[in-house]
Short mmCIF file of all heavy atoms in Angstrom, two decimals:
data_model
loop_
_atom_site.label_atom_id
_atom_site.label_comp_id
_atom_site.label_asym_id
_atom_site.label_seq_id
_atom_site.Cartn_x
_atom_site.Cartn_y
_atom_site.Cartn_z
N PRO A 1 138.72 169.43 182.32
CA PRO A 1 137.75 170.45 182.43
C PRO A 1 136.58 169.91 183.32
O PRO A 1 136.26 168.72 183.17
CB PRO A 1 137.34 170.78 181.05
CG PRO A 1 137.75 169.59 180.29
CD PRO A 1 138.99 169.08 180.88
N ALA A 2 136.04 170.77 184.09
CA ALA A 2 134.90 170.42 184.98
C ALA A 2 133.65 170.11 184.19
O ALA A 2 132.75 169.35 184.61
CB ALA A 2 134.60 171.48 185.97
N HIS A 3 133.46 170.61 183.01
CA HIS A 3 132.32 170.46 182.21
C HIS A 3 132.61 170.03 180.81
O HIS A 3 133.62 170.49 180.25
CB HIS A 3 131.36 171.68 182.28
CG HIS A 3 130.98 172.03 183.70
ND1 HIS A 3 130.01 171.37 184.36
CD2 HIS A 3 131.38 173.03 184.53
CE1 HIS A 3 129.90 171.87 185.58
NE2 HIS A 3 130.71 172.92 185.63
N SER A 4 131.68 169.34 180.15
CA SER A 4 131.93 169.00 178.75
C SER A 4 130.70 169.47 178.01
O SER A 4 129.60 169.53 178.57
CB SER A 4 132.07 167.44 178.61
OG SER A 4 132.11 167.10 177.30
N SER A 5 130.93 169.71 176.71
CA SER A 5 129.81 170.13 175.87
C SER A 5 128.83 169.04 175.71
O SER A 5 127.65 169.26 175.50
CB SER A 5 130.28 170.59 174.48
OG SER A 5 131.03 169.50 173.89
N GLU A 6 129.27 167.81 175.87
CA GLU A 6 128.38 166.63 175.80
C GLU A 6 128.47 166.00 177.22
O GLU A 6 129.56 165.67 177.61
CB GLU A 6 128.71 165.61 174.73
CG GLU A 6 128.59 166.17 173.33
CD GLU A 6 128.97 165.12 172.25
OE1 GLU A 6 129.17 163.98 172.67
OE2 GLU A 6 129.00 165.37 171.13
N ALA A 7 127.37 165.83 177.81
CA ALA A 7 127.32 165.22 179.15
C ALA A 7 127.05 163.69 179.03
O ALA A 7 125.98 163.27 178.83
CB ALA A 7 126.25 165.84 180.03
N PRO A 8 128.13 162.89 179.08
CA PRO A 8 127.94 161.39 178.86
C PRO A 8 127.28 160.77 180.12
O PRO A 8 127.40 161.32 181.20
CB PRO A 8 129.35 160.89 178.65
CG PRO A 8 130.24 161.94 179.48
CD PRO A 8 129.53 163.26 179.35
N GLY A 9 126.62 159.63 179.86
CA GLY A 9 126.13 158.94 180.95
C GLY A 9 127.21 158.30 181.82
O GLY A 9 128.33 158.14 181.27
N ILE A 10 126.94 157.85 182.93
CA ILE A 10 127.95 157.32 183.85
C ILE A 10 128.56 156.09 183.25
O ILE A 10 129.76 155.92 183.23
CB ILE A 10 127.29 156.92 185.20
CG1 ILE A 10 126.93 158.23 185.96
CG2 ILE A 10 128.17 156.08 186.02
CD1 ILE A 10 126.26 157.94 187.31
N ALA A 11 127.71 155.24 182.66
CA ALA A 11 128.25 154.03 182.08
C ALA A 11 129.20 154.16 180.95
O ALA A 11 130.03 153.27 180.52
CB ALA A 11 127.14 153.05 181.68
N ASN A 12 129.02 155.39 180.24
CA ASN A 12 129.80 155.68 178.95
C ASN A 12 131.09 156.49 179.25
O ASN A 12 131.84 156.74 178.33
CB ASN A 12 128.90 156.51 178.05
CG ASN A 12 127.70 155.58 177.56
OD1 ASN A 12 127.94 154.39 177.39
ND2 ASN A 12 126.71 156.31 177.38
N ILE A 13 131.40 156.82 180.55
CA ILE A 13 132.47 157.55 180.91
C ILE A 13 133.74 156.64 180.80
O ILE A 13 133.79 155.53 181.40
CB ILE A 13 132.48 158.24 182.20
CG1 ILE A 13 131.54 159.39 182.17
CG2 ILE A 13 133.87 158.65 182.64
CD1 ILE A 13 131.85 160.56 183.13
N SER A 14 134.71 156.95 179.99
CA SER A 14 135.89 156.04 179.77
C SER A 14 136.86 156.27 180.89
O SER A 14 137.29 157.40 181.17
CB SER A 14 136.55 156.38 178.44
OG SER A 14 137.75 155.68 178.34
N GLY A 15 137.25 155.16 181.53
CA GLY A 15 138.31 155.21 182.52
C GLY A 15 139.60 154.65 182.08
O GLY A 15 140.39 154.22 182.91
N HIS A 16 139.83 154.53 180.87
CA HIS A 16 140.90 153.74 180.35
C HIS A 16 142.18 154.57 180.28
O HIS A 16 143.31 153.96 180.38
CB HIS A 16 140.59 153.24 178.94
CG HIS A 16 139.56 152.14 178.97
ND1 HIS A 16 139.88 150.81 179.10
CD2 HIS A 16 138.27 152.23 178.95
CE1 HIS A 16 138.76 150.05 179.14
NE2 HIS A 16 137.80 150.86 179.01
N ASP A 17 142.17 155.93 180.11
CA ASP A 17 143.38 156.67 179.87
C ASP A 17 144.39 156.47 181.01
O ASP A 17 145.40 155.91 180.84
CB ASP A 17 142.95 158.13 179.67
CG ASP A 17 142.17 158.28 178.40
OD1 ASP A 17 142.24 157.38 177.58
OD2 ASP A 17 141.49 159.36 178.26
N SER A 18 144.12 157.10 182.14
CA SER A 18 145.07 157.06 183.25
C SER A 18 145.13 155.81 184.00
O SER A 18 146.15 155.30 184.41
CB SER A 18 144.78 158.21 184.27
OG SER A 18 143.41 158.04 184.77
N GLU A 19 143.95 155.07 183.99
CA GLU A 19 143.96 153.71 184.56
C GLU A 19 144.86 152.79 183.86
O GLU A 19 145.62 152.02 184.47
CB GLU A 19 142.49 153.17 184.76
CG GLU A 19 142.43 151.81 185.18
CD GLU A 19 142.25 150.85 183.97
OE1 GLU A 19 141.54 151.16 183.05
OE2 GLU A 19 142.78 149.73 184.12
N THR A 20 144.62 152.76 182.56
CA THR A 20 145.43 151.84 181.76
C THR A 20 146.93 152.20 181.76
O THR A 20 147.80 151.29 181.87
CB THR A 20 145.07 151.85 180.26
OG1 THR A 20 143.59 151.45 180.21
CG2 THR A 20 145.75 150.86 179.42
N SER A 21 147.26 153.47 181.75
CA SER A 21 148.62 153.88 181.84
C SER A 21 149.27 153.44 183.21
O SER A 21 150.41 152.87 183.15
CB SER A 21 148.71 155.48 181.81
OG SER A 21 150.06 155.85 181.95
N ALA A 22 148.50 153.66 184.28
CA ALA A 22 149.04 153.18 185.61
C ALA A 22 149.28 151.70 185.65
O ALA A 22 150.27 151.20 186.09
CB ALA A 22 148.16 153.67 186.71
N ALA A 23 148.29 150.95 185.12
CA ALA A 23 148.32 149.52 185.09
C ALA A 23 149.52 148.95 184.32
O ALA A 23 150.15 147.98 184.76
CB ALA A 23 147.01 148.94 184.66
N ASN A 24 149.66 149.61 183.14
CA ASN A 24 150.74 149.15 182.27
C ASN A 24 152.11 149.27 182.93
O ASN A 24 153.06 148.51 182.70
CB ASN A 24 150.63 149.81 180.91
CG ASN A 24 149.47 149.33 180.07
OD1 ASN A 24 148.94 148.20 180.30
ND2 ASN A 24 149.08 150.09 179.12
N GLU A 25 152.26 150.49 183.59
CA GLU A 25 153.53 150.81 184.18
C GLU A 25 153.75 150.00 185.49
O GLU A 25 154.93 149.83 185.82
CB GLU A 25 153.64 152.32 184.46
CG GLU A 25 153.65 153.15 183.21
CD GLU A 25 153.91 154.60 183.51
OE1 GLU A 25 154.80 154.84 184.37
OE2 GLU A 25 153.24 155.49 183.00
N CYS A 26 152.75 149.56 186.20
CA CYS A 26 152.88 148.78 187.37
C CYS A 26 152.54 147.35 187.05
O CYS A 26 151.52 146.83 187.42
CB CYS A 26 151.99 149.39 188.45
SG CYS A 26 152.32 148.71 190.13
N ALA A 27 153.43 146.64 186.42
CA ALA A 27 153.20 145.31 185.91
C ALA A 27 152.88 144.35 187.03
O ALA A 27 152.26 143.26 186.81
CB ALA A 27 154.34 144.87 185.02
N ALA A 28 153.44 144.53 188.29
CA ALA A 28 153.18 143.59 189.31
C ALA A 28 151.89 143.60 189.95
O ALA A 28 151.54 142.67 190.69
CB ALA A 28 154.32 143.92 190.46
N ALA A 29 151.09 144.59 189.64
CA ALA A 29 149.69 144.72 190.24
C ALA A 29 148.80 143.62 189.75
O ALA A 29 148.77 143.27 188.66
CB ALA A 29 149.13 146.14 189.84
N GLY A 30 148.11 143.12 190.80
CA GLY A 30 147.10 142.05 190.57
C GLY A 30 145.71 142.60 190.20
O GLY A 30 145.59 143.84 189.86
N MET A 31 144.72 141.75 190.24
CA MET A 31 143.36 142.18 189.82
C MET A 31 142.85 143.26 190.71
O MET A 31 142.18 144.15 190.28
CB MET A 31 142.46 140.91 189.74
CG MET A 31 142.96 139.86 188.78
SD MET A 31 143.34 140.34 187.13
CE MET A 31 145.20 140.37 187.18
N MET A 32 142.96 143.10 192.05
CA MET A 32 142.33 144.07 193.03
C MET A 32 142.85 145.48 192.85
O MET A 32 142.03 146.41 192.69
CB MET A 32 142.57 143.61 194.42
CG MET A 32 141.73 142.30 194.72
SD MET A 32 141.69 141.95 196.58
CE MET A 32 143.36 141.61 196.84
N PRO A 33 144.19 145.66 192.80
CA PRO A 33 144.64 147.03 192.61
C PRO A 33 144.25 147.63 191.20
O PRO A 33 144.00 148.86 191.07
CB PRO A 33 146.21 146.98 192.72
CG PRO A 33 146.53 145.57 192.67
CD PRO A 33 145.29 144.82 193.13
N ARG A 34 144.24 146.74 190.18
CA ARG A 34 143.78 147.17 188.87
C ARG A 34 142.33 147.69 188.94
O ARG A 34 141.94 148.67 188.34
CB ARG A 34 144.12 146.15 187.85
CG ARG A 34 145.52 145.95 187.56
CD ARG A 34 145.76 144.71 186.61
NE ARG A 34 147.19 144.52 186.60
CZ ARG A 34 148.06 145.05 185.68
NH1 ARG A 34 147.55 145.86 184.81
NH2 ARG A 34 149.34 144.79 185.75
N LEU A 35 141.50 146.90 189.57
CA LEU A 35 140.06 147.25 189.65
C LEU A 35 139.94 148.57 190.42
O LEU A 35 139.15 149.45 190.04
CB LEU A 35 139.28 146.15 190.43
CG LEU A 35 138.92 144.94 189.56
CD1 LEU A 35 138.45 143.77 190.59
CD2 LEU A 35 137.81 145.28 188.60
N LEU A 36 140.75 148.79 191.46
CA LEU A 36 140.61 150.00 192.24
C LEU A 36 141.09 151.15 191.53
O LEU A 36 140.51 152.28 191.53
CB LEU A 36 141.38 149.85 193.57
CG LEU A 36 140.78 148.94 194.55
CD1 LEU A 36 141.77 148.70 195.79
CD2 LEU A 36 139.49 149.47 195.09
N TRP A 37 142.22 150.96 190.73
CA TRP A 37 142.59 152.10 189.82
C TRP A 37 141.49 152.48 188.93
O TRP A 37 141.26 153.72 188.72
CB TRP A 37 143.91 151.60 188.96
CG TRP A 37 145.16 151.91 189.69
CD1 TRP A 37 145.48 152.96 190.50
CD2 TRP A 37 146.29 151.04 189.56
NE1 TRP A 37 146.81 152.71 190.89
CE2 TRP A 37 147.30 151.63 190.35
CE3 TRP A 37 146.55 149.84 188.88
CZ2 TRP A 37 148.59 151.03 190.47
CZ3 TRP A 37 147.86 149.27 188.98
CH2 TRP A 37 148.81 149.84 189.80
N SER A 38 140.82 151.52 188.26
CA SER A 38 139.81 151.84 187.29
C SER A 38 138.61 152.44 188.04
O SER A 38 138.03 153.40 187.54
CB SER A 38 139.36 150.49 186.61
OG SER A 38 138.38 150.78 185.71
N LEU A 39 138.23 151.99 189.22
CA LEU A 39 137.07 152.48 189.99
C LEU A 39 137.28 153.96 190.34
O LEU A 39 136.44 154.81 190.08
CB LEU A 39 136.78 151.68 191.18
CG LEU A 39 135.74 152.09 192.11
CD1 LEU A 39 134.38 152.03 191.37
CD2 LEU A 39 135.63 151.26 193.36
N PHE A 40 138.41 154.26 190.88
CA PHE A 40 138.66 155.64 191.41
C PHE A 40 138.93 156.59 190.09
O PHE A 40 138.57 157.76 190.24
CB PHE A 40 139.84 155.73 192.31
CG PHE A 40 139.40 155.30 193.78
CD1 PHE A 40 139.59 154.00 194.16
CD2 PHE A 40 138.88 156.19 194.60
CE1 PHE A 40 139.28 153.61 195.45
CE2 PHE A 40 138.49 155.83 195.95
CZ PHE A 40 138.66 154.54 196.33
#
């Protein structure tokens, strides 16, 4: 959803769901691609 009932601060937005899933499935990825997954 484009909006949430609670507007979290930037630092509190969790990027773990899809980033962690992608990283776990792509075991060969090093630190740079993992950082980029998390950043985007």
